[in-house]
Amino acid sequence: MKHTIFGSILATTALTSAAFAQDTITAVHAFPESLIYTKSFLEFVDKVNAAGEGVIQIEVRGGPEAIGMFQQPDAVRSGVVDMVYTPGSFYAGALPEKDALVTSNMTGAEVRANGGIELIDQIHQEKMGVKYLGWFDSGVCYNLWTRNEPTLDADGNLDVSGLKLRGNAVYNAFFTDYLGAQVIDLPTTEVYSALERGVVDATGWTQIGLIDLKWNEFLNYRIEPCFFSTDLGTIVNLEKWNSLSEESRTILQDVAIAHEAESSAKLGAVRDEDFAKLEEAGMEVITLEGDAAEAYLAAATQNTWDRMKGLMAESPQGDGNYDKLIELFYKK
């Protein structure tokens, strides 16, 4: 009788433990915690942890101080960490299709609705062994920011000759092939000191975050129109994703979908506030007009599409998704 009772207690305890087993996933983010984009990701983490209490929790291990920003995509692929919030451009060599997000003129919510996120997720799973959970903070584009007043030629086109331009994988092809610029590649964390020391005197950067990074201490001009889009996404090791309970996966995905829309709307308001603060502090806006503006934007987009198609063609899967990606991510 005692054995029977004891066995029942053990069985009940085991079932209770299984029922209340909580999934935990580790995460890192590409940029310092002070940056607006990282704050957005941490808001997503808080939302998941609130909605997933007792079911799923995200444990943030830090940012680039924990794992170098350019090493983070490989870290999630190999399972060193379960989740990474990072620009797709940081793993462009493995997945050139990320340029569809870079050149997009749509928001994450719009592309989620038309099937674009489903396609980009499928490509991530096939090529990188990661789940593409969500495209956060979309709808924010890039400007060129300069220390000195930019020069325009007789036709109103931007002349960047003589500029020491900070380069980045996101926009290097556009800057070098169309603008003819000489670029100096630097990670985000080194740009402030490079501006301070005069190593660079211009950079591309998104419409928000300049104040967070304090680059506005050196940059005095914003060139319009803006180009490209942020390609910040959250990816999860696929093996880890598949090991989660169905309830955990549902919570993660539902919160990610909601955050795609919420973060886009929120950062649009932040952009307007940042622009007002910068202009109040003396930032001047130089706007390309007419044919010069159209050529500038067309070059940014087509140049990047050409790069994407060329790199896709070199991969074993070929460039079969090229036209579909442009159709889903770019509204003509």
Side-chain angles (χ1 to χ4, degrees), residues 14-15 31 39 42 75 98-99 108 118 131 140 149 151 154 157 177 187 196 216 247 271 274 284 300 326:
L15 286 171
F31 300 117
K39 292 176 182 177
L42 295 177
K98 62 84 194 171
D99 274 339
E118 182 180 356
K131 167 75 177 175
V140 177
E149 184 173 359
T151 302
N157 296 299
D177 295 347
E196 186 177 38
N216 57 304
E247 186 177 7
R271 172 198 57 216
D274 274 12
E284 295 188 38
I326 293 176

Side-chain angles (χ1 to χ4, degrees), residues 283-301:
M283 175 78 69
E284 295 188 38
V285 181
I286 304 295
T287 303
L288 305 182
E289 298 178 350
D291 291 343
E294 288 184 20
Y296 183 79
L297 289 176
T301 302

Side-chain angles (χ1 to χ4, degrees), residues 12-226:
T12 302
T13 302
L15 286 171
T16 302
S17 298
F20 289 93
Q22 177 177 275
D23 285 319
T24 302
I25 55 178
T26 57
V28 292
H29 43 82
F31 300 117
E33 193 170 337
S34 59
L35 191 60
I36 185 68
Y37 298 113
T38 305
K39 292 176 182 177
S40 174
F41 172 68
L42 295 177
E43 286 177 10
F44 162 73
V45 170
D46 289 341
K47 292 173 185 176
V48 170
N49 289 347
E53 188 173 357
V55 180
I56 174 76
Q57 295 287 285
I58 300 174
E59 181 184 293
V60 179
R61 296 286 177 83
E65 77 285 353
I67 300 175
M69 61 174 64
F70 299 119
Q71 286 72 51
Q72 290 179 4
D74 280 338
V76 78
R77 292 176 74 179
S78 63
V80 171
V81 67
D82 300 324
M83 173 186 283
V84 168
Y85 170 72
T86 185
S89 298
F90 284 6
Y91 51 86
L95 203 132
E97 289 88 347
K98 62 84 194 171
D99 274 339
L101 285 82
V102 170
T103 57
S104 182
N105 57 2
M106 302 171 71
T107 66
E110 290 174 316
V111 179
R112 172 77 64 179
N114 71 15
I117 297 295
E118 182 180 356
L119 177 57
I120 209 74
D121 175 30
Q122 175 189 327
I123 294 168
H124 274 75
Q125 293 193 36
E126 292 173 355
K127 286 195 168 185
M128 288 183 64
V130 298
K131 167 75 177 175
Y132 191 83
L133 189 62
W135 180 18
F136 299 162
D137 311 316
S138 61
V140 177
C141 54
Y142 285 76
N143 288 98
L144 183 58
W145 309 80
T146 66
R147 185 192 306 270
N148 301 316
E149 184 173 359
T151 302
L152 306 181
D153 67 17
D155 296 319
N157 296 299
L158 183 65
D159 179 2
V160 300
S161 58
L163 278 184
K164 293 175 288 186
L165 186 56
R166 178 255 177 162
N168 180 280
V170 176
Y171 40 70
N172 271 0
F174 170 46
F175 283 2
T176 57
D177 295 347
Y178 174 69
L179 296 179
Q182 296 295 314
V183 300
I184 303 170
D185 284 340
L186 292 169
T188 306
T189 50
E190 296 179 16
V191 175
Y192 181 91
S193 62
L195 287 166
E196 186 177 38
R197 293 181 286 113
V199 174
V200 296
D201 50 27
T203 184
W205 188 252
T206 62
Q207 294 174 309
I208 59 176
L210 206 77
I211 296 172
D212 293 340
L213 294 164
K214 300 183 180 179
W215 296 355
N216 57 304
E217 294 177 11
F218 311 102
L219 299 171
N220 304 305
Y221 295 87
R222 185 181 85 240
I223 298 170
E224 293 286 351
C226 67

